[in-house]
Amino acid sequence: MTLEETKKILMTTNALFPQWKVENPAETIQAWHWALEEYTAEMVMAALQIFVKTSNSAFAPSPSELIECMHKVKDNNNLSENEAWALVKKAIQDGNYHSEERFNELPPIVQKAVGGSNMIRQWAMSDTDEVNTVIASNFQRTYRTLLSRQEFSDRVPERLQDIARGISDKVSGERMIEQDV
């Protein structure tokens, strides 16, 4: 998004929320541009529209609220814990003889929560009560954790993820050096 597009978004925001007064327009444009630069103007305008139509707030949105609006729409495509478990349970029903095929039919995040086709086979041989209670509970907790991590990761721009990985690699390397000493 360009600075000019950011300025137009701020002007639209000001028109929608007339009580919102910007103290320093140049700094505000720069700050909003910095916060939203990874997104297109169309995406941000759509998020502003979603905010206006779904929020009960009389206050103008912050950049983070607009980012949240963009991701809420995207996150609606994720399966709930119960929907994911229903897929796994269906795979378990045919898991004694076709665990690998059923595992491969699962969405990638569900596969990650399951762990492997061998788990489908193992769960297929387990007691039904255990599958419906302990295994279901453990799977749903794992799926919830993985989904939360994925949603967080999806919200962080790739450029910032690369910076964070670089910092993490540097810290890991320093720890290894300290251990060698």
Side-chain angles (χ1 to χ4, degrees):
M1 184 165 56
T2 66
L3 280 170
E4 191 59 36
E5 290 170 327
T6 304
K7 185 178 180 180
K8 286 180 185 176
I9 289 166
L10 284 167
M11 289 170 58
T12 303
T13 304
N14 194 45
L16 292 167
F17 299 91
Q19 78 284 6
W20 185 51
K21 300 295 178 220
V22 175
E23 296 296 320
N24 187 330
E27 280 184 25
T28 303
I29 292 168
Q30 285 294 331
W32 277 58
H33 180 70
W34 175 79
L36 298 168
E37 67 186 342
E38 281 86 9
Y39 304 98
T40 65
E42 293 80 21
M43 291 169 68
V44 177
M45 286 299 276
L48 179 59
Q49 201 169 20
I50 291 167
F51 182 86
V52 167
K53 293 180 180 198
T54 61
S55 174
N56 294 325
S57 176
F59 299 102
S62 67
S64 65
E65 288 172 313
L66 295 178
I67 292 168
E68 184 68 22
C69 285
M70 287 184 266
H71 287 284
K72 276 185 182 174
V73 172
K74 184 181 173 198
D75 292 346
N76 279 341
N77 296 328
N78 291 329
L79 297 171
S80 71
E81 294 169 30
N82 290 330
E83 291 168 330
W85 175 246
L87 293 177
V88 172
K89 195 166 180 187
K90 185 177 178 186
I92 291 171
Q93 291 171 350
D94 194 26
N96 276 330
Y97 300 105
H98 303 285
S99 61
E100 194 163 327
E101 293 93 337
R102 297 303 159 256
F103 177 79
N104 291 333
E105 293 169 354
L106 297 171
I109 191 164
V110 176
Q111 288 180 352
K112 196 170 183 178
V114 168
S117 61
N118 61 326
M119 294 306 299
I120 297 290
R121 182 179 297 111
Q122 193 174 4
W123 292 344
M125 293 185 277
S126 298
D127 177 61
T128 304
D129 287 339
E130 183 182 5
V131 168
N132 291 328
T133 55
V134 176
I135 294 171
S137 171
N138 288 340
F139 167 81
Q140 289 173 330
R141 183 177 50 241
T142 301
Y143 178 77
R144 186 172 45 246
T145 300
L146 290 172
L147 193 58
S148 176
R149 286 180 188 162
Q150 177 182 314
E151 288 172 353
F152 178 80
S153 180
D154 288 348
R155 283 172 165 73
V156 178
E158 193 64 38
R159 178 180 57 82
L160 297 178
Q161 288 184 28
D162 291 342
I163 291 169
R165 277 191 285 275
I167 292 169
S168 177
D169 291 346
K170 183 178 178 184
V171 169
S172 295
E174 290 173 358
R175 284 188 191 142
M176 294 176 109
I177 291 170
E178 287 175 5
Q179 289 176 354
D180 290 343
V181 174

